[in-house]
Amino acid sequence: MRLLQLDLLIICLIAVHLCHAQQQPPFPTISAISPEQIKDIGESVTLECDITNVGKFTVGWQKTNRERSQQVNTISLGPTLAVAEERFRVDVDKENNTMKYKLT
């Protein structure tokens, strides 16, 4: 049985807003992130990332290849998918001062 280890390193990142220099504290903080998951090829996986104090920053999901660390593919920016693949879905919810992002 082949396993797809999510060593593809899907990472929840904060992309700096154009007005970063004008942004005042509190700054965005990743308050929770899913642990690494190992799944069979073809199985679904949901990754979660909670960020407090998002403000005017944009949160995105990116996939990197650990063997070729320079290769980065953007999956989403905010709630908008950057790839035209039906296998991806992004959900965004707000709970108090925390934005909850899920990538399936």
Side-chain angles (χ1 to χ4, degrees):
M1 176 183 353
R2 273 178 52 180
L3 294 178
L4 173 64
Q5 185 173 3
L6 288 181
D7 282 346
L8 302 172
L9 195 59
I10 300 179
I11 303 176
C12 179
L13 296 175
I14 299 174
V16 180
H17 184 267
L18 294 175
C19 299
H20 179 257
Q22 298 172 359
Q23 181 75 17
Q24 299 296 318
F27 293 105
T29 304
I30 297 174
S31 54
I33 194 164
S34 296
E36 179 179 75
Q37 299 180 39
I38 299 173
K39 299 286 184 174
D40 288 330
I41 293 175
E43 285 186 318
S44 288
V45 63
T46 297
L47 302 173
E48 300 180 27
C49 181
D50 297 351
I51 301 180
T52 56
N53 304 315
V54 172
K56 294 183 179 183
F57 287 79
T58 301
V59 176
W61 290 93
Q62 292 184 333
K63 179 176 90 171
T64 61
N65 184 328
R66 284 189 181 176
E67 295 169 6
R68 295 181 234 163
S69 61
Q70 301 299 318
Q71 183 179 353
V72 177
N73 297 316
T74 300
I75 297 172
S76 74
L77 290 172
T80 306
L81 285 174
V83 292
E85 294 185 41
E86 292 181 10
R87 64 185 180 137
F88 292 110
R89 187 179 83 227
V90 174
D91 296 303
V92 180
D93 294 311
K94 184 174 183 179
E95 186 176 295
N96 298 320
N97 197 31
T98 301
M99 296 298 290
K100 296 179 169 285
Y101 296 85
K102 289 183 184 179
L103 174 67
T104 302

XYZ file of all heavy atoms in Angstrom:
822
model
N 0.854 -1.179 0.000
C 0.000 0.000 0.000
C 0.895 1.235 0.000
O 1.751 1.391 0.847
C -0.881 -0.021 1.249
C -1.714 1.204 1.384
S -2.759 1.358 2.864
C -2.641 -0.151 3.712
N 0.714 2.092 -0.989
C 1.487 3.338 -1.041
C 0.825 4.380 -0.167
O -0.384 4.518 -0.145
C 1.538 3.866 -2.473
C 2.670 3.272 -3.264
C 2.701 3.745 -4.674
N 2.656 5.196 -4.796
C 2.673 5.818 -5.941
N 2.728 5.146 -7.059
N 2.621 7.132 -5.987
N 1.639 5.069 0.553
C 1.128 6.144 1.391
C 1.597 7.477 0.844
O 2.717 7.606 0.378
C 1.630 6.005 2.831
C 1.133 4.802 3.598
C 1.760 4.787 4.987
C -0.368 4.816 3.729
N 0.719 8.428 0.910
C 1.093 9.788 0.540
C 1.322 10.524 1.845
O 0.405 10.781 2.586
C -0.022 10.468 -0.254
C 0.194 11.941 -0.541
C 1.417 12.126 -1.423
C -1.016 12.537 -1.215
N 2.561 10.769 2.137
C 2.873 11.502 3.358
C 2.841 12.974 3.021
O 3.448 13.413 2.062
C 4.249 11.107 3.872
C 4.568 11.736 5.194
C 5.855 11.202 5.773
O 6.524 10.401 5.163
N 6.195 11.666 6.937
N 2.114 13.705 3.794
C 1.964 15.118 3.486
C 3.227 15.870 3.851
O 3.208 16.872 4.519
C 0.727 15.693 4.160
C -0.542 15.207 3.516
C -1.746 15.805 4.200
C -0.565 15.529 2.047
N 4.352 15.288 3.368
C 5.628 15.965 3.451
C 5.681 17.039 2.391
O 6.667 17.725 2.255
C 6.784 14.988 3.213
C 7.068 14.151 4.432
O 6.578 14.502 5.513
O 7.769 13.145 4.298
N 4.644 17.103 1.583
C 4.549 18.165 0.591
C 4.559 19.496 1.315
O 4.693 20.540 0.712
C 3.268 18.004 -0.219
C 3.115 16.691 -0.951
C 1.721 16.591 -1.558
C 4.177 16.544 -2.001
N 4.455 19.387 2.614
C 4.552 20.537 3.495
C 3.565 21.624 3.100
O 3.930 22.667 2.602
C 5.979 21.077 3.521
C 6.326 22.040 4.641
C 6.111 21.374 5.989
C 7.730 22.516 4.519
N 2.300 21.313 3.299
C 1.283 22.328 3.066
C 1.305 23.220 4.288
O 1.105 22.788 5.397
C -0.090 21.695 2.832
C -0.012 20.794 1.610
C -1.143 22.763 2.659
C -1.269 20.087 1.278
N 1.579 24.455 4.055
C 1.829 25.381 5.143
C 0.820 26.512 5.118
O 0.424 26.981 4.071
C 3.236 25.988 4.998
C 4.276 24.883 4.971
C 3.511 26.963 6.125
C 5.659 25.405 4.732
N 0.439 26.895 6.277
C -0.416 28.068 6.412
C 0.515 29.264 6.601
O 1.297 29.304 7.526
C -1.330 27.891 7.612
S -2.413 29.251 7.906
N 0.463 30.213 5.699
C 1.368 31.360 5.732
C 0.599 32.666 5.794
O -0.537 32.756 5.358
C 2.234 31.380 4.471
C 3.186 30.218 4.285
C 3.870 30.348 2.938
C 4.221 30.215 5.376
N 1.249 33.640 6.304
C 0.677 34.986 6.289
C 1.456 35.792 5.260
O 2.652 35.946 5.370
C 0.805 35.650 7.664
C 0.039 34.833 8.694
C 0.313 37.085 7.622
C 0.220 35.319 10.098
N 0.749 36.276 4.243
C 1.379 37.127 3.241
C 1.224 38.575 3.691
O 0.162 38.993 4.106
C 0.717 36.920 1.886
N 2.279 39.306 3.594
C 2.285 40.677 4.102
C 1.418 41.584 3.248
O 1.497 41.587 2.029
C 3.726 41.215 4.137
C 3.744 42.637 4.656
C 4.594 40.328 4.994
N 0.575 42.316 3.885
C -0.288 43.302 3.234
C 0.575 44.467 2.758
O 1.626 44.759 3.319
C -1.335 43.793 4.250
C -2.328 44.730 3.679
N -2.163 46.082 3.716
C -3.490 44.508 3.056
C -3.197 46.660 3.131
N -4.014 45.725 2.734
N 0.145 45.150 1.723
C 0.926 46.247 1.161
C 1.226 47.345 2.176
O 2.232 48.030 2.078
C 0.183 46.846 -0.041
C 0.040 45.917 -1.240
C -0.821 46.576 -2.314
C 1.395 45.551 -1.784
N 0.365 47.506 3.162
C 0.566 48.564 4.154
C 1.253 48.041 5.408
O 1.054 48.574 6.497
C -0.770 49.198 4.524
S -1.599 49.962 3.127
N 2.067 47.022 5.274
C 2.706 46.400 6.439
C 3.418 47.408 7.328
O 3.355 47.344 8.542
C 3.685 45.308 5.998
C 4.383 44.658 7.134
N 5.680 44.944 7.451
C 3.949 43.762 8.049
C 6.028 44.237 8.511
N 5.001 43.508 8.894
N 4.097 48.356 6.723
C 4.852 49.333 7.510
C 3.940 50.184 8.386
O 4.363 50.694 9.425
C 5.662 50.230 6.584
N 2.685 50.308 7.990
C 1.745 51.119 8.747
C 0.949 50.303 9.759
O 0.239 50.856 10.570
C 0.772 51.816 7.791
C 1.477 52.755 6.851
C 0.539 53.288 5.783
O -0.632 52.945 5.745
N 1.061 54.130 4.914
N 1.066 48.973 9.696
C 0.315 48.097 10.592
C 0.831 48.247 12.023
O 2.017 48.208 12.272
C 0.457 46.636 10.131
C -0.306 45.641 10.965
C -1.796 45.674 10.702
O -2.244 46.201 9.707
N -2.562 45.123 11.616
N -0.071 48.438 12.951
C 0.275 48.583 14.352
C -0.015 47.269 15.086
O -0.892 46.521 14.685
C -0.540 49.718 14.990
C -0.292 51.063 14.357
C 1.149 51.530 14.555
O 1.694 51.383 15.626
N 1.747 52.065 13.510
N 0.717 46.994 16.174
C 0.423 45.795 16.958
C -1.023 45.835 17.428
O -1.585 46.913 17.542
C 1.382 45.905 18.136
C 2.462 46.822 17.673
C 1.817 47.749 16.682
N -1.661 44.730 17.690
C -1.095 43.383 17.718
C -0.951 42.799 16.309
O -1.800 43.015 15.455
C -2.113 42.587 18.525
C -3.400 43.282 18.280
C -3.063 44.745 18.086
N 0.124 42.075 16.104
C 0.390 41.457 14.816
C -0.279 40.091 14.740
O -0.566 39.476 15.771
C 1.900 41.317 14.594
C 2.590 42.641 14.457
C 3.358 43.151 15.486
C 2.461 43.380 13.301
C 3.987 44.371 15.371
C 3.085 44.609 13.175
C 3.854 45.108 14.201
N -0.520 39.593 13.530
C -1.117 38.261 13.380
C -0.248 37.181 14.021
O 0.979 37.267 13.991
C -1.180 38.061 11.865
C -1.147 39.437 11.307
C -0.298 40.232 12.249
N -0.918 36.191 14.594
C -0.229 35.076 15.251
C -0.939 33.782 14.883
O -2.166 33.704 14.958
C -0.277 35.238 16.783
O 0.286 36.497 17.127
C 0.480 34.140 17.481
N -0.180 32.765 14.493
C -0.757 31.443 14.271
C -0.999 30.843 15.641
O -0.061 30.576 16.396
C 0.176 30.549 13.434
C 0.364 31.150 12.041
C -0.391 29.129 13.343
C 1.366 30.426 11.179
N -2.274 30.655 15.996
C -2.615 30.153 17.329
C -2.837 28.647 17.344
O -2.766 28.022 18.400
C -3.848 30.878 17.871
O -4.909 30.793 16.960
N -3.089 28.045 16.193
C -3.243 26.585 16.102
C -3.012 26.167 14.663
O -3.370 26.890 13.732
C -4.628 26.163 16.553
N -2.394 25.010 14.482
C -2.163 24.474 13.145
C -2.201 22.954 13.224
O -1.781 22.371 14.227
C -0.827 24.992 12.553
C -0.752 24.712 11.064
C 0.366 24.454 13.298
C 0.316 25.499 10.329
N -2.737 22.325 12.189
C -2.858 20.869 12.164
C -1.486 20.210 12.199
O -0.539 20.714 11.591
C -3.566 20.405 10.891
O -4.876 20.872 10.845
N -1.405 19.058 12.866
C -0.152 18.298 12.819
C -0.013 17.603 11.459
O -0.980 17.526 10.689
C -0.321 17.265 13.934
C -1.791 17.079 14.046
C -2.404 18.419 13.702
N 1.175 17.089 11.181
C 1.409 16.340 9.949
C 0.461 15.150 9.897
O 0.208 14.516 10.923
C 2.858 15.858 9.912
C 3.193 15.052 8.686
C 4.636 14.613 8.680
O 4.973 13.687 9.429
O 5.412 15.218 7.932
N -0.059 14.850 8.721
C -0.979 13.725 8.556
C -0.476 12.817 7.449
O 0.047 13.288 6.443
C -2.373 14.238 8.208
C -2.966 15.122 9.290
C -4.345 15.609 8.931
O -5.143 14.864 8.362
N -4.641 16.859 9.259
N -0.650 11.532 7.635
C -0.261 10.539 6.633
C -1.533 9.837 6.176
O -2.280 9.308 6.993
C 0.750 9.526 7.201
C 2.018 10.254 7.650
C 1.066 8.461 6.157
C 3.004 9.378 8.376
N -1.783 9.857 4.881
C -3.003 9.284 4.311
C -2.658 8.400 3.134
O -1.622 8.567 2.489
C -3.947 10.395 3.826
C -4.412 11.344 4.896
C -5.422 10.695 5.787
C -5.955 11.706 6.795
N -7.023 11.165 7.587
N -3.565 7.464 2.814
C -3.437 6.679 1.590
C -3.701 7.594 0.407
O -4.496 8.544 0.504
C -4.451 5.535 1.556
C -4.115 4.421 2.541
O -2.929 4.212 2.816
O -5.061 3.770 3.025
N -3.074 7.316 -0.719
C -3.310 8.097 -1.930
C -4.789 8.022 -2.276
O -5.391 6.949 -2.270
C -2.431 7.586 -3.088
C -0.965 7.875 -2.785
C -2.847 8.225 -4.419
C 0.003 7.326 -3.786
N -5.388 9.162 -2.520
C -6.800 9.241 -2.863
C -7.698 9.589 -1.691
O -8.844 9.958 -1.882
N -7.196 9.459 -0.464
C -7.990 9.807 0.704
C -8.021 11.320 0.892
O -7.119 12.022 0.470
C -7.402 9.188 1.980
C -7.652 7.716 2.130
C -7.184 7.203 3.480
O -6.092 7.603 3.943
O -7.913 6.416 4.073
N -9.061 11.800 1.561
C -9.180 13.222 1.866
C -8.402 13.557 3.127
O -8.244 12.727 4.009
C -10.643 13.599 2.096
O -11.339 13.587 0.901
N -7.966 14.795 3.170
C -7.312 15.310 4.364
C -7.778 16.747 4.561
O -7.979 17.474 3.591
C -5.765 15.232 4.268
C -5.246 16.090 3.138
C -5.121 15.598 5.579
N -7.999 17.135 5.805
C -8.352 18.515 6.123
C -7.289 19.077 7.038
O -6.980 18.497 8.083
C -9.735 18.598 6.809
O -10.721 18.115 5.893
C -10.075 20.027 7.177
N -6.716 20.173 6.622
C -5.703 20.870 7.408
C -6.327 22.148 7.950
O -7.075 22.825 7.245
C -4.484 21.189 6.551
C -3.817 19.974 5.921
C -2.733 20.416 4.947
C -3.237 19.070 6.988
N -6.028 22.458 9.192
C -6.608 23.632 9.832
C -5.519 24.567 10.333
O -4.461 24.126 10.755
C -7.497 23.204 10.998
C -8.645 22.320 10.564
C -9.532 21.892 11.710
O -9.603 22.626 12.715
O -10.162 20.828 11.587
N -5.831 25.855 10.282
C -4.911 26.875 10.763
C -5.745 28.009 11.350
O -6.609 28.562 10.666
C -4.049 27.388 9.611
S -2.852 28.641 10.107
N -5.504 28.330 12.613
C -6.211 29.426 13.278
C -5.238 30.581 13.476
O -4.116 30.378 13.956
C -6.735 28.991 14.646
C -7.759 27.871 14.557
O -8.191 27.549 13.435
O -8.116 27.322 15.613
N -5.676 31.777 13.114
C -4.812 32.949 13.223
C -5.566 34.061 13.934
O -6.678 34.418 13.556
C -4.343 33.424 11.835
C -3.594 32.283 11.156
C -3.475 34.674 11.948
C -3.076 32.592 9.801
N -4.940 34.605 14.968
C -5.526 35.729 15.689
C -4.952 37.031 15.140
O -3.843 37.067 14.619
C -5.243 35.642 17.201
O -3.838 35.565 17.405
C -5.905 34.421 17.816
N -5.723 38.100 15.263
C -5.292 39.440 14.843
C -4.905 39.514 13.365
O -3.900 40.126 13.019
C -4.120 39.928 15.704
C -4.449 39.911 17.171
O -5.509 40.345 17.586
N -3.545 39.377 17.970
N -5.704 38.924 12.497
C -5.384 38.927 11.061
C -5.349 40.346 10.513
O -4.475 40.693 9.733
C -6.377 38.050 10.268
C -6.154 38.211 8.779
C -6.229 36.603 10.663
N -6.291 41.172 10.943
C -6.308 42.555 10.464
C -6.398 42.625 8.954
O -7.219 41.971 8.326
N -5.509 43.404 8.324
C -5.519 43.585 6.872
C -4.569 42.635 6.150
O -4.332 42.791 4.957
C -5.167 45.036 6.535
C -6.220 46.007 7.008
C -5.869 47.416 6.603
C -6.953 48.380 7.064
N -6.680 49.742 6.637
N -4.026 41.662 6.879
C -3.143 40.682 6.256
C -3.974 39.660 5.495
O -5.150 39.464 5.781
C -2.295 39.973 7.314
C -1.206 40.824 7.887
C -1.483 41.765 8.862
C 0.099 40.689 7.452
C -0.493 42.554 9.396
C 1.102 41.475 7.981
C 0.810 42.415 8.951
N -3.361 39.001 4.523
C -4.015 37.945 3.759
C -3.383 36.621 4.130
O -2.158 36.499 4.146
C -3.851 38.186 2.244
O -4.433 39.452 1.932
C -4.527 37.105 1.440
N -4.212 35.648 4.421
C -3.725 34.317 4.784
C -3.878 33.413 3.574
O -4.904 33.429 2.909
C -4.516 33.756 5.980
C -4.082 32.343 6.295
C -4.335 34.661 7.188
N -2.853 32.637 3.293
C -2.904 31.738 2.148
C -2.330 30.381 2.466
O -1.590 30.214 3.436
N -2.698 29.398 1.665
C -2.138 28.050 1.764
C -1.185 27.857 0.594
O -1.493 28.219 -0.538
C -3.242 27.005 1.681
C -4.143 26.964 2.864
C -5.333 27.626 3.016
C -3.946 26.233 4.075
N -5.883 27.339 4.235
C -5.062 26.473 4.908
C -2.942 25.381 4.538
C -5.194 25.908 6.166
C -3.085 24.811 5.796
C -4.190 25.074 6.598
N -0.009 27.304 0.897
C 0.974 27.004 -0.142
C 1.474 25.580 0.036
O 1.503 25.059 1.141
C 2.173 27.944 -0.059
C 1.856 29.366 -0.398
C 3.091 30.236 -0.397
O 4.070 29.948 0.292
N 3.060 31.301 -1.167
N 1.870 24.990 -1.084
C 2.440 23.648 -1.065
C 3.884 23.759 -1.519
O 4.169 24.364 -2.555
C 1.654 22.728 -2.000
C 2.206 21.322 -2.054
C 1.331 20.448 -2.921
C 1.797 20.487 -4.339
N 1.150 19.516 -5.218
N 4.797 23.218 -0.725
C 6.198 23.199 -1.125
C 6.661 21.760 -1.210
O 6.130 20.871 -0.554
C 7.104 23.957 -0.133
O 7.021 23.333 1.137
C 6.708 25.406 -0.026
N 7.659 21.533 -2.003
C 8.248 20.221 -2.165
C 9.534 20.196 -1.343
O 10.459 20.948 -1.627
C 8.530 19.964 -3.647
C 9.056 18.584 -3.911
O 9.747 17.995 -3.087
N 8.720 18.059 -5.073
N 9.600 19.348 -0.318
C 10.775 19.319 0.561
C 12.054 18.982 -0.191
O 13.130 19.416 0.179
C 10.573 18.314 1.692
C 9.658 18.830 2.749
C 9.665 17.923 3.931
N 8.753 18.442 4.940
C 8.480 17.831 6.062
N 9.023 16.674 6.335
N 7.653 18.367 6.924
N 11.943 18.198 -1.249
C 13.133 17.841 -2.016
C 13.623 19.004 -2.865
O 14.794 19.108 -3.172
C 12.838 16.628 -2.888
C 12.552 15.384 -2.060
C 12.012 14.244 -2.899
O 11.964 14.369 -4.137
O 11.633 13.226 -2.294
N 12.710 19.872 -3.253
C 13.046 21.058 -4.041
C 12.447 22.258 -3.334
O 11.404 22.764 -3.724
C 12.481 20.941 -5.452
C 13.100 19.831 -6.252
C 12.507 19.814 -7.623
N 11.998 18.471 -7.858
C 11.144 18.151 -8.781
N 10.649 19.063 -9.566
N 10.750 16.926 -8.928
N 13.103 22.700 -2.286
C 12.536 23.724 -1.404
C 12.228 25.045 -2.108
O 11.488 25.861 -1.582
C 13.460 23.972 -0.215
O 14.709 24.442 -0.659
N 12.770 25.257 -3.291
C 12.506 26.495 -4.017
C 11.180 26.441 -4.781
O 10.678 27.446 -5.231
C 13.644 26.801 -4.999
C 14.991 26.947 -4.337
C 15.010 28.097 -3.341
O 14.470 29.162 -3.606
N 15.616 27.889 -2.199
N 10.619 25.226 -4.917
C 9.379 25.061 -5.674
C 8.181 25.271 -4.745
O 7.944 24.497 -3.831
C 9.329 23.660 -6.274
C 8.127 23.407 -7.140
C 8.152 21.997 -7.720
O 9.112 21.264 -7.575
N 7.077 21.637 -8.385
N 7.427 26.349 -4.979
C 6.273 26.699 -4.147
C 5.057 26.886 -5.049
O 5.136 27.570 -6.062
C 6.528 27.995 -3.351
C 5.302 28.387 -2.558
C 7.728 27.839 -2.441
N 3.958 26.256 -4.676
C 2.702 26.404 -5.417
C 1.659 26.994 -4.477
O 1.374 26.417 -3.433
C 2.213 25.054 -5.952
C 3.181 24.447 -6.938
O 3.686 25.139 -7.807
N 3.447 23.167 -6.799
N 1.083 28.118 -4.852
C 0.037 28.737 -4.049
C -1.274 28.019 -4.319
O -1.669 27.847 -5.468
C -0.092 30.228 -4.381
O 1.158 30.862 -4.100
C -1.187 30.886 -3.562
N -1.953 27.607 -3.239
C -3.235 26.926 -3.352
C -4.375 27.912 -3.160
O -5.375 27.858 -3.865
C -3.331 25.774 -2.340
C -2.250 24.733 -2.657
C -4.718 25.141 -2.354
C -2.122 23.644 -1.627
N -4.224 28.829 -2.193
C -5.289 29.809 -1.969
C -4.727 31.091 -1.383
O -3.657 31.098 -0.779
C -6.359 29.258 -1.025
O -5.870 29.243 0.296
N -5.481 32.162 -1.569
C -5.221 33.447 -0.921
C -6.544 33.878 -0.299
O -7.524 34.091 -1.014
C -4.733 34.493 -1.915
C -3.332 34.256 -2.456
C -3.021 35.231 -3.580
C -2.306 34.364 -1.353
N -6.561 33.958 1.023
C -7.815 34.216 1.711
C -8.783 33.092 1.418
O -8.396 31.930 1.338
N -10.053 33.399 1.184
C -11.034 32.351 0.906
C -11.082 31.933 -0.569
O -11.872 31.085 -0.950
C -12.351 33.016 1.302
C -12.120 34.462 1.035
C -10.664 34.709 1.365
N -10.199 32.505 -1.391
C -10.234 32.259 -2.833
C -9.174 31.247 -3.246
O -7.989 31.420 -2.956
C -9.993 33.572 -3.598
O -10.934 34.544 -3.145
C -10.133 33.373 -5.085
N -9.606 30.189 -3.942
C -8.658 29.212 -4.460
C -7.843 29.825 -5.593
O -8.374 30.541 -6.438
C -9.383 27.969 -4.978
C -9.919 27.016 -3.928
C -10.739 25.910 -4.585
C -8.782 26.407 -3.116
N -6.560 29.518 -5.611
C -5.669 30.003 -6.668
C -5.415 28.909 -7.698
O -4.689 29.124 -8.657
C -4.355 30.478 -6.060
N -6.002 27.741 -7.482
C -5.861 26.615 -8.409
C -7.250 26.211 -8.891
O -8.219 26.288 -8.161
C -5.164 25.408 -7.750
C -3.717 25.719 -7.444
C -5.894 24.955 -6.502
N -7.318 25.778 -10.124
C -8.600 25.365 -10.700
C -8.721 23.847 -10.618
O -8.808 23.160 -11.622
C -8.711 25.847 -12.142
N -8.686 23.327 -9.391
C -8.806 21.893 -9.187
C -9.929 21.630 -8.198
O -9.942 22.198 -7.102
C -7.498 21.308 -8.647
C -6.353 21.399 -9.621
C -5.103 20.707 -9.107
O -5.231 19.608 -8.525
O -4.021 21.264 -9.277
N -10.862 20.769 -8.576
C -12.014 20.480 -7.734
C -11.656 19.769 -6.437
O -12.442 19.746 -5.505
C -13.040 19.650 -8.509
C -13.689 20.420 -9.640
C -14.715 19.581 -10.384
O -15.060 18.483 -9.928
O -15.172 20.056 -11.443
N -10.460 19.194 -6.369
C -10.086 18.437 -5.164
C -9.762 19.344 -3.978
O -9.684 18.876 -2.857
C -8.913 17.514 -5.459
C -7.636 18.239 -5.829
C -6.552 17.257 -6.221
N -5.330 17.951 -6.573
C -4.139 17.580 -6.193
N -3.987 16.501 -5.458
N -3.079 18.259 -6.557
N -9.601 20.635 -4.195
C -9.310 21.572 -3.116
C -10.547 22.359 -2.717
O -11.363 22.730 -3.565
C -8.216 22.569 -3.522
C -6.861 21.950 -3.704
C -6.302 21.848 -4.962
C -6.143 21.487 -2.614
C -5.049 21.286 -5.139
C -4.893 20.925 -2.773
C -4.342 20.821 -4.041
N -10.663 22.626 -1.418
C -11.725 23.497 -0.904
C -11.157 24.263 0.286
O -10.429 23.706 1.101
C -12.931 22.665 -0.467
C -14.123 23.551 -0.093
C -15.338 22.772 0.331
N -15.180 22.421 1.742
C -15.395 21.216 2.257
N -15.769 20.222 1.492
N -15.232 20.987 3.535
N -11.495 25.536 0.369
C -11.062 26.367 1.491
C -12.302 26.886 2.211
O -13.229 27.380 1.577
C -10.206 27.563 1.006
C -9.883 28.492 2.156
C -8.939 27.080 0.360
N -12.303 26.749 3.528
C -13.376 27.290 4.357
C -12.762 28.268 5.347
O -11.695 28.000 5.913
C -14.078 26.168 5.134
C -14.776 25.191 4.205
O -15.626 25.637 3.416
O -14.458 23.984 4.266
N -13.435 29.398 5.545
C -12.955 30.416 6.479
C -14.103 30.795 7.405
O -15.199 31.104 6.945
C -12.453 31.674 5.734
C -11.948 32.718 6.710
C -11.374 31.311 4.724
N -13.839 30.744 8.709
C -14.816 31.144 9.718
C -14.157 32.107 10.686
O -12.943 32.046 10.907
C -15.332 29.932 10.508
C -16.139 28.986 9.650
O -17.039 29.469 8.938
O -15.869 27.770 9.691
N -14.971 32.982 11.271
C -14.450 33.921 12.260
C -15.064 33.590 13.618
O -16.269 33.384 13.734
C -14.780 35.357 11.876
C -14.171 36.364 12.827
C -14.397 37.778 12.354
C -13.700 38.725 13.331
N -13.848 40.103 12.937
N -14.211 33.530 14.627
C -14.658 33.276 15.993
C -13.943 34.272 16.896
O -12.745 34.150 17.134
C -14.322 31.838 16.388
C -14.857 31.420 17.731
C -14.558 29.965 18.004
O -15.086 29.101 17.278
O -13.769 29.698 18.933
N -14.673 35.273 17.358
C -14.096 36.374 18.137
C -13.001 37.047 17.328
O -13.246 37.523 16.240
C -13.597 35.879 19.498
C -14.725 35.324 20.344
O -15.817 35.876 20.369
N -14.471 34.217 21.014
N -11.764 37.054 17.801
C -10.651 37.717 17.120
C -9.789 36.721 16.346
O -8.673 37.014 15.977
C -9.789 38.472 18.146
C -8.887 39.479 17.482
O -9.211 40.040 16.442
N -7.728 39.703 18.072
N -10.336 35.519 16.110
C -9.574 34.464 15.447
C -10.248 34.062 14.141
O -11.440 33.816 14.100
C -9.463 33.227 16.364
O -8.809 33.618 17.569
C -8.667 32.115 15.705
N -9.435 33.998 13.079
C -9.911 33.480 11.801
C -9.495 32.020 11.732
O -8.348 31.676 12.001
C -9.301 34.256 10.640
C -9.706 35.724 10.595
S -11.475 35.993 10.386
C -11.705 35.468 8.713
N -10.458 31.157 11.366
C -10.204 29.720 11.292
C -10.241 29.319 9.828
O -11.263 29.452 9.163
C -11.245 28.962 12.096
C -11.182 29.286 13.580
C -12.260 28.517 14.336
C -12.028 28.629 15.819
N -10.952 27.815 16.300
N -9.104 28.834 9.326
C -8.957 28.427 7.928
C -8.850 26.915 7.847
O -8.134 26.296 8.623
C -7.698 29.050 7.317
C -7.758 30.556 7.265
C -7.383 31.323 8.353
C -8.196 31.213 6.121
C -7.450 32.703 8.319
C -8.263 32.590 6.068
C -7.888 33.329 7.172
O -7.954 34.689 7.122
N -9.592 26.326 6.892
C -9.523 24.880 6.657
C -9.273 24.639 5.184
O -9.950 25.218 4.326
C -10.838 24.184 7.035
C -11.111 24.126 8.500
C -12.396 23.358 8.757
C -12.725 23.387 10.232
N -13.990 22.656 10.501
N -8.306 23.802 4.908
C -8.019 23.389 3.532
C -8.326 21.897 3.441
O -7.759 21.104 4.196
C -6.554 23.637 3.173
C -6.112 23.120 1.806
C -6.802 23.894 0.690
C -4.611 23.203 1.664
N -9.236 21.537 2.547
C -9.580 20.122 2.344
C -9.134 19.725 0.959
O -9.318 20.469 0.013
C -11.111 19.907 2.486
O -11.498 20.357 3.786
C -11.469 18.440 2.329
